[in-house]
Amino acid sequence: MSRIFSDVLQMSIVAAWMIPIVMVFRLLLKRAPKWVNLVLWGLVGLRLVCPFVPESRFSLMPKLPILSGYLYGNMIGNSAGNAFRADTLQTGTNFSNNISQAALDGSMGAAGSGMGAFGTGAWRITERLLSAFTILWLVGVILFAGYAVCSYVRVRRQVAEAMWLRENLWICDEVKSPFILGLHKPKIYLSSSMDEAQYPYVIAHEQAHLKRG
């Protein structure tokens, strides 16, 4: 679970770098077609949900050696992780050889000897913090998922007595403002108190959302 949390954290940090870049592009492309904005924000959304992206040496986002070392250390043992962390702090060393050596003899090896008790203790604190944040993140996921399910059920109950108008248009007394509900066959719900003169504009607005997905 800690590995999943670390992956999600790295994905979020990368997306956080992309957001201000997209905002700058939006200012520079004010006269561009609206679909350009959709593509730009779609890239941010894709980065948030896609755990795998092509590797490239040309990147605006640096790698995160702390999380990478934590994951690698979990795969081959704490001693190998210590050697990995030590080598990330030293330039000109072949950390892969030291990791293999640390994994075989169960010690930190030559590369990790300079860290001492402070490095080991600091890494233990880091692991505990990651574990605590993982639990907090998991609790948050469960709470937000539960809130989303409860909200969906509540809205479904509100529109249970909606009246069909035409096609995928429905009118309901409980609806305060127009919205779309449903994934397989989405429906547009309109408020019964809305002025009929506004229908064409509101419907066109909601249908634009459906058209663009």
Side-chain angles (χ1 to χ4, degrees), residues 7-29:
D7 290 342
V8 172
L9 180 60
Q10 293 185 79
M11 291 161 56
S12 301
I13 293 176
V14 173
W17 279 66
M18 294 178 63
I19 290 174
I21 296 176
V22 170
M23 295 177 67
V24 171
F25 272 105
R26 286 196 61 186
L27 293 176
L28 298 177
L29 301 175

Side-chain angles (χ1 to χ4, degrees), residues 133-147:
F133 281 121
T134 300
I135 296 175
L136 182 63
W137 167 74
L138 185 59
V139 171
V141 169
I142 295 175
L143 290 177
F144 275 102
Y147 176 78

Side-chain angles (χ1 to χ4, degrees), residues 68-153:
S68 299
Y70 173 73
L71 296 181
Y72 202 92
N74 279 344
M75 289 189 293
I76 61 176
N78 291 333
S79 59
N82 288 334
F84 177 84
R85 294 191 300 276
D87 286 329
T88 57
L89 300 177
Q90 299 178 7
T91 58
T93 59
N94 187 356
F95 64 86
S96 60
N97 293 334
N98 291 328
I99 289 177
S100 301
Q101 181 64 29
L104 290 175
D105 59 18
S107 63
M108 290 180 62
S113 59
M115 296 187 67
F118 175 77
T120 303
W123 189 244
R124 288 178 180 175
I125 294 176
T126 302
E127 287 182 324
R128 291 176 181 176
L129 286 176
L130 279 175
S131 298
F133 281 121
T134 300
I135 296 175
L136 182 63
W137 167 74
L138 185 59
V139 171
V141 169
I142 295 175
L143 290 177
F144 275 102
Y147 176 78
V149 172
C150 292
S151 298
Y152 179 80
V153 173

